[in-house]
Amino acid sequence: MPFYNRNLDVIKKNNSKLYEAIIKYDNKDEIDGINLETGNSKDGTHIIIAHKDGKRMYMNSPYNTFAETKKFVAQYDNRVIDYSVMTLFGLGNGVIEQYMIDSMPQHITYLIYEPSPNMFFHVMHDFDLNGIFECGRVRLVVRGLNDENLEALLMNMITIENYKITFCDHLPKYKELYQDEYENFVEKYTYIVNLIRINIGTRRAFAREIAYNELFNMKYIPFGNTEDDFEGIFPVDFPAVLVAAGPSLEKNVQVLKKMKGKALIIAVDTALRYLVSEGVYPDVAVAADPHKPLQLFQDDRVRKIPLAIHASVNYKAVELMSEGKILYVSADSAYYDNLYKMIGKRMYRLSTGGSVSTVAFTLAVAWGFRRLVLVGQDLALSKDKVHAGKDDIDVEKLTNNKIAVEGYYGEDVYTSPDYAEYIKWYNMVIENDPDLEVINATEGGARLNGTIQMPLSEVADKYCNGEFDFEGTIINMKPSFSNESRLLVHDKWKTSVDNTNFLASKFREGIELVDKSVAIINEGNYDKDVVENTHKMIDKLIAECNEMDEIYFVDQLTAGETEDILGDIYYAEKDNDKEHCRILEKLKKYLELMEKASTEAKSMFEQLIDKAV
């Protein structure tokens, strides 16, 4: 084992979760039908040779591995730019990845997915991978070891800002050797990129609304709870019942009433009015939509139910529910996480899938539940209604474009484009986590792969035999912040007023630097070193601003406009003076928008402080 211990030591220093998974892994002799050996190419490089179905396959060129590596990387010479994201299917002997790290721009990040534990342990023993494992820009995921959060990692790395400069590729021979795993990986990658494309339209339409929601929803943090408060609190051998608002809910609503106290009942906001009208009170409700209709929360009975929120939910809905318990369970802004870090807690970014129902699902998983029961999760359209009861929300789906999918009973049913994306999310997440037992008790709607189909009454008889006061536990949980630590929240908000003022001044400084660069270029016969130095000052200024928590809100306030402004900056030909000036003028417009938004964010924080409880 000439390299194993050295590789393991580097992983231990740089990736503790993967290290722990390696130590605990007990199937190191698994061969998955593929035998591996290490050989040499004619240029002296150590290479991997795979044997599958009687075929001998060279994972690298047996003649000139270095030339093959250069050719593989060269395909990206005119495509990859700094801050791109490379997702690679396969680790191999590490030669290609190391060459990429050494030769490509210095801010590129890499996600390497190794589909075979057998391959991983083989290369750990026979190849020096220290350069890859030590690189802070590399995220390594190995199937069966640390792949449980692959989707969340992809979602964190591939964003609205960089998805156009993100690439997905496979190492030589990997697609042939691991066809099923490859298709699964590409499906995940494609799903996330497509979801971003869908979200771009939403962001352009609602980005400012999201900024206001996320900022003003902090008003109740001092007296609310975070998702982190409840980890390890519930008896997770009980089922978690996730109640959506599909028409099939009408079949099961009375069974739900009998399950109270025998399972954790989490309901989405659109189901609440119907549930309380039938005398069913879930243990907690979930809301996540930035423009959720307020009529869902105006019934006094609904407003007694604890509400778990994604931070971007309509802040006016949270105001209506604020006399009860508010749980902050997910936020896209690091600002929230840093608030809770002040008291040793965390705010997680749950993998939401774009739906309030998927937020409820990931919340139950985060709390440790492994038997999840879906109720009213039709994800398909009936002839005359979208939701249970007399709800008139989303009725336009009945007349808009529809997509045929497989139904719960094997028949064809029709769904909306957004529901079709949620179906893909469920199929992907359920397939990726073999420890989950997901029971689809919807008794109608679309079929979800990997679920057990079972009537809710049977679920109740089979699994609901204990007693636990879930609702009381949630309501009576002490707030995350004590009387003393609440002052830290208010102090941070006051600091944010100063920080947003600082951001505005920095962006004004950036505008002056841009004007200086344009003037120098227009004079002609300029010193390029002077312009380059000015650019470095602008880059440093923007990097300094991006380090501040408050920049998230500024970005959100400008998102609808800055995406168009910055769309081609990465691709500009800077050798041309005229083109250079055009790009600088776009940069100036961007900085002007950011200055204005910083001032607006300052005003928002001041309002938050004035209205705080």
Side-chain angles (χ1 to χ4, degrees):
M1 298 192 299
F3 297 110
Y4 183 81
N5 289 332
R6 286 167 54 189
N7 285 327
L8 191 61
D9 285 344
V10 175
I11 290 175
K12 184 178 181 179
K13 293 176 183 176
N14 295 279
N15 192 335
S16 60
K17 288 186 177 180
L18 178 57
Y19 172 78
E20 291 169 6
I22 292 171
I23 299 301
K24 293 177 183 177
Y25 192 70
D26 58 2
N27 293 311
K28 294 181 183 178
D29 296 327
E30 175 194 338
I31 61 171
D32 56 28
I34 301 171
N35 293 314
L36 303 169
E37 64 173 296
T38 299
N40 293 299
S41 67
K42 289 189 175 181
D43 68 358
T45 305
H46 292 306
I47 61 174
I48 302 169
I49 305 167
H51 301 265
K52 182 180 181 182
D53 300 330
K55 296 181 181 179
R56 181 182 174 92
M57 300 174 65
Y58 288 89
M59 305 291 287
N60 311 90
S61 168
Y63 303 104
N64 193 331
T65 301
F66 183 66
E68 176 194 53
T69 298
K70 289 183 67 178
K71 183 178 179 181
F72 183 95
V73 178
Q75 67 181 305
Y76 294 104
D77 283 351
N78 297 316
R79 301 163 63 198
V80 168
I81 61 174
D82 215 357
Y83 296 98
S84 286
V85 176
M86 292 292 306
T87 62
L88 295 170
F89 182 77
L91 172 63
N93 63 355
V95 171
I96 287 175
E97 292 93 337
Q98 189 63 62
Y99 187 76
M100 283 184 164
I101 292 168
D102 294 339
S103 64
M104 295 174 78
Q106 63 177 346
H107 296 109
I108 289 177
T109 53
Y110 302 86
L111 186 147
I112 303 170
Y113 179 71
E114 175 51 59
S116 167
N118 178 39
M119 177 71 77
F120 175 71
F121 283 106
H122 179 83
V123 300
M124 282 282 288
H125 283 87
D126 285 9
F127 297 89
D128 182 359
L129 301 172
N130 284 6
I132 297 171
F133 296 156
E134 286 177 336
C135 180
R137 295 178 285 119
V138 173
R139 305 291 181 268
L140 175 62
V141 179
V142 183
R143 183 178 66 82
L145 274 78
N146 65 333
D147 60 338
E148 64 276 3
N149 294 317
L150 175 60
E151 292 85 359
L153 183 57
L154 283 166
M155 286 180 180
N156 284 329
M157 293 183 69
I158 306 172
T159 66
I160 286 176
E161 290 76 20
N162 68 24
Y163 81 100
K164 288 183 180 179
I165 52 173
T166 296
F167 302 90
C168 182
D169 206 343
H170 60 87
L171 267 58
K173 305 302 180 184
Y174 262 86
K175 182 178 177 181
E176 299 168 57
L177 283 173
Y178 307 106
Q179 181 69 38
D180 291 344
E181 291 88 349
Y182 174 73
E183 291 177 358
N184 184 259
F185 180 75
V186 171
E187 181 182 1
K188 289 178 171 61
Y189 173 86
T190 304
Y191 169 79
I192 289 166
V193 171
N194 287 338
L195 185 63
I196 288 171
R197 290 193 177 107
I198 293 169
N199 287 341
I200 285 174
T202 303
R203 180 173 175 174
R204 283 177 174 165
F206 303 111
R208 288 182 58 80
E209 192 174 350
I210 289 171
Y212 273 80
N213 289 338
E214 294 195 334
L215 202 148
F216 289 140
N217 276 332
M218 287 191 284
K219 177 180 177 182
Y220 308 103
I221 277 182
F223 294 93
N225 286 100
T226 178
E227 176 269 325
D228 200 22
D229 290 332
F230 297 94
E231 291 188 10
I233 296 298
F234 301 121
V236 294
D237 53 333
F238 282 51
V241 181
L242 311 176
V243 185
S248 68
L249 176 59
E250 295 175 5
K251 302 177 186 177
N252 289 311
V253 67
Q254 295 308 315
V255 180
L256 280 173
K257 187 183 295 186
K258 298 176 183 178
M259 298 174 77
K260 179 77 171 181
K262 301 176 183 295
L264 172 65
I265 301 176
I266 306 176
V268 305
D269 44 20
T270 45
L272 296 178
R273 289 190 297 179
Y274 176 68
L275 289 174
V276 298
S277 73
E278 295 292 325
V280 176
Y281 291 85
D283 300 306
V284 62
V286 178
D289 194 332
H291 48 94
K292 184 61 69 175
L294 297 182
Q295 61 261 39
L296 297 178
F297 308 95
Q298 288 172 335
D299 188 315
D300 287 341
R301 294 171 296 178
V302 166
R303 288 157 73 173
K304 296 176 182 177
I305 300 168
L307 181 68
I309 66 167
H310 186 285
S312 64
V313 72
N314 187 341
Y315 77 90
K316 293 181 180 178
V318 180
E319 284 181 352
L320 288 173
M321 298 289 287
S322 63
E323 291 183 10
K325 174 75 75 169
I326 303 295
L327 285 67
Y328 294 80
V329 298
S330 183
D332 295 336
S333 166
Y335 194 99
Y336 275 79
D337 192 24
N338 289 333
L339 269 176
Y340 283 105
K341 280 182 179 178
M342 296 189 303
I343 55 170
K345 296 183 182 293
R346 292 291 308 272
M347 165 59 76
Y348 295 95
R349 181 182 177 184
L350 299 180
S351 174
T352 63
S355 159
V356 65
S357 296
T358 55
V359 173
F361 186 100
T362 52
L363 175 60
V365 173
W367 279 345
F369 290 89
R370 290 297 174 263
R371 178 174 289 122
L372 278 61
V373 184
L374 306 180
V375 180
Q377 191 63 264
D378 295 42
L379 294 173
L381 304 170
S382 68
K383 293 180 180 180
D384 58 353
K385 62 169 58 180
V386 178
H387 297 147
K390 299 178 181 179
D391 203 320
D392 58 356
I393 303 295
D394 296 331
V395 291
E396 70 278 359
K397 292 181 186 291
L398 297 174
T399 54
N400 289 347
N401 293 335
K402 298 176 184 178
I403 300 169
V405 295
E406 183 182 1
Y408 186 90
Y409 298 105
E411 79 285 23
D412 282 344
V413 296
Y414 291 89
T415 191
S416 61
D418 56 340
Y419 284 178
E421 292 300 315
Y422 306 155
I423 292 170
K424 291 178 185 177
W425 184 91
Y426 275 112
N427 290 342
M428 182 174 69
V429 170
I430 293 169
E431 179 185 61
N432 194 59
D433 194 341
D435 292 333
L436 289 181
E437 179 182 285
V438 183
I439 299 172
N440 190 350
T442 294
E443 298 181 62
R447 177 182 290 272
L448 298 176
N449 298 339
T451 62
I452 300 167
Q453 297 189 171
M454 184 185 299
L456 189 63
S457 58
E458 187 176 330
V459 173
D461 291 340
K462 188 172 184 179
Y463 297 115
C464 295
N465 302 310
E467 293 283 348
F468 187 84
D469 185 5
F470 290 97
E471 182 180 11
T473 300
I474 293 170
I475 291 173
N476 295 320
M477 176 64 69
K478 291 182 180 179
S480 302
F481 289 86
S482 65
N483 291 334
E484 295 77 15
S485 61
R486 283 171 197 146
L487 297 175
L488 297 175
V489 178
H490 290 267
D491 287 344
K492 184 169 177 63
W493 293 341
K494 291 174 184 176
T495 300
S496 292
V497 172
D498 295 333
N499 288 348
T500 47
N501 191 53
F502 174 81
L503 286 171
S505 68
K506 279 292 178 181
F507 289 124
R508 283 194 295 274
E509 182 182 332
I511 293 167
E512 293 171 2
L513 289 170
V514 170
D515 286 339
K516 178 181 177 181
S517 288
V518 172
I520 291 172
I521 292 170
N522 286 334
E523 287 174 1
N525 298 319
Y526 59 90
D527 186 339
K528 290 189 176 181
D529 289 340
V530 174
V531 174
E532 182 64 26
N533 186 55
T534 305
H535 281 206
K536 288 180 180 178
M537 292 171 67
I538 295 172
D539 289 343
K540 182 180 178 182
L541 178 151
I542 292 175
E544 186 178 356
C545 291
N546 286 336
E547 289 296 316
M548 307 191 76
D549 288 351
E550 295 78 12
I551 196 67
Y552 173 84
F553 301 103
V554 178
D555 283 337
Q556 285 291 98
L557 289 170
T558 61
E561 299 167 276
T562 56
E563 285 166 15
D564 291 333
I565 292 173
L566 298 178
D568 64 353
I569 280 183
Y570 285 126
Y571 307 99
E573 294 292 337
K574 294 185 179 179
D575 291 338
N576 181 293
D577 286 351
K578 186 175 180 180
E579 173 68 357
H580 197 167
C581 286
R582 185 186 73 82
I583 294 301
L584 284 170
E585 288 296 339
K586 294 191 78 172
L587 178 58
K588 178 180 178 180
K589 188 173 181 181
Y590 163 77
L591 293 168
E592 288 173 341
L593 286 169
M594 296 295 279
E595 179 197 0
K596 181 180 178 182
S598 297
T599 302
E600 184 176 358
K602 175 186 174 184
S603 174
M604 292 163 66
F605 274 106
E606 288 172 339
Q607 292 177 58
L608 175 63
I609 293 168
D610 288 341
K611 296 178 180 178
V613 241

